[in-house]
Amino acid sequence: MRSRAATPQETTAPRTATARRTGVPLILLALASAVACWLVFARWLPSDGERYRAYRAAEPCSSAAPSRVDTDCLSTWHLTVEKTVNRTAGKESVHDATLTYGDSWRGTVHLDGSGPLLERLGPGDRVTATAWHGEIMVLAEDGVRQDTLETPRDELQMNAAVGVLAGLLAAQCLVFGAVRLVGPLDHEPLTWEPYGRRLLFSMIGVSFAVGLPAVWTGVPWWTVPLAAVPLAVCAALWFRPRPRR
């Protein structure tokens, strides 16, 4: 007995269902990425910018005693080093200093790297700490200063780079997902291999290739999307599959 040949509808039905099952998560991922992009530009970036400007404009406080009070002024604390941890092992980096103020206060601060101050500190050394909003921002000894990880920095360019990447990812996922829902049997060349993979890695590369030099050179953060988005579009056109002859 001959087996019955599959009809075109029976052949294409599984492919249609698979494509649509892939399209729905892509649309959801696009929505999540769009929300992340909005949060970066509407909340995170303005918040970091305002915090940096407030820190730079802060004036010295009248009291020098350590306090956890949330104040806008800069406190100067004279502390004693109890111990330091200055270790880099593989991907783990620990640059900490445990400080005390007599018998009334003890805390650990995380510094930005090993130098120039942490590497020369030892138990019993006296340091001058600059605190803001109850957090130590800077340690100093004999004119040598070092920031802690709490110090606000003017690095909004990287915030913008993350936001741009989230927006580009939202656009890619939206297009790839919509094509699978609208035309599940005809979504070439919008497939993961090779176009989708190349497009994703090019967007990541463009975002950080623009963001990092922007931080180093100090250009305004809004130049990051102005440069990264056109470059990403050019990369998308460059990597698009060419028709076979």
Side-chain angles (χ1 to χ4, degrees), residues 70-92:
D70 187 16
T71 58
D72 291 328
C73 59
L74 299 176
S75 301
T76 300
W77 304 348
H78 300 286
L79 308 176
T80 302
V81 178
E82 181 178 284
K83 67 175 182 178
T84 61
V85 180
N86 191 8
R87 181 179 68 250
T88 300
K91 295 183 179 181
E92 181 187 15

Side-chain angles (χ1 to χ4, degrees), residues 49-171:
E50 178 61 28
R51 187 168 183 265
Y52 174 77
R53 288 189 294 271
Y55 173 66
R56 297 292 295 177
E59 298 290 339
C61 298
S62 58
S63 173
S67 172
R68 301 297 299 180
V69 178
D70 187 16
T71 58
D72 291 328
C73 59
L74 299 176
S75 301
T76 300
W77 304 348
H78 300 286
L79 308 176
T80 302
V81 178
E82 181 178 284
K83 67 175 182 178
T84 61
V85 180
N86 191 8
R87 181 179 68 250
T88 300
K91 295 183 179 181
E92 181 187 15
S93 297
V94 181
H95 309 290
D96 296 347
T98 300
L99 309 169
T100 60
Y101 182 79
D103 297 327
S104 62
W105 183 88
R106 181 179 183 274
T108 299
V109 296
H110 311 289
L111 286 97
D112 185 17
S114 60
L117 179 61
L118 181 62
E119 58 191 6
R120 57 184 282 179
L121 290 180
D125 289 345
R126 297 281 292 174
V127 294
T128 301
T130 300
W132 183 63
H133 282 210
E135 299 288 345
I136 294 178
M137 301 292 158
V138 181
L139 289 182
E141 181 195 42
D142 296 333
V144 180
R145 296 167 54 90
Q146 185 170 349
D147 291 341
T148 70
L149 294 182
E150 298 296 332
T151 307
R153 292 168 175 79
D154 187 17
E155 297 178 351
L156 302 181
Q157 298 88 344
M158 286 309 302
N159 299 45
V162 173
V164 167
L165 178 58
L168 294 174
L169 180 61

Side-chain angles (χ1 to χ4, degrees), residues 189-203:
L190 303 182
T191 58
W192 173 248
E193 286 291 350
Y195 187 48
R197 176 177 56 82
R198 293 174 179 174
L199 192 57
L200 175 61
F201 285 108
S202 68
M203 291 189 308

Side-chain angles (χ1 to χ4, degrees), residues 11-46:
T11 303
T12 59
R15 294 174 54 198
T16 301
T18 300
R20 285 176 174 164
R21 282 197 301 268
T22 305
V24 171
L26 287 174
I27 294 295
L28 295 177
L29 181 58
L31 293 176
S33 299
V35 171
C37 178
W38 178 83
L39 288 174
V40 169
F41 286 104
R43 298 294 180 85
W44 185 28
L45 196 151

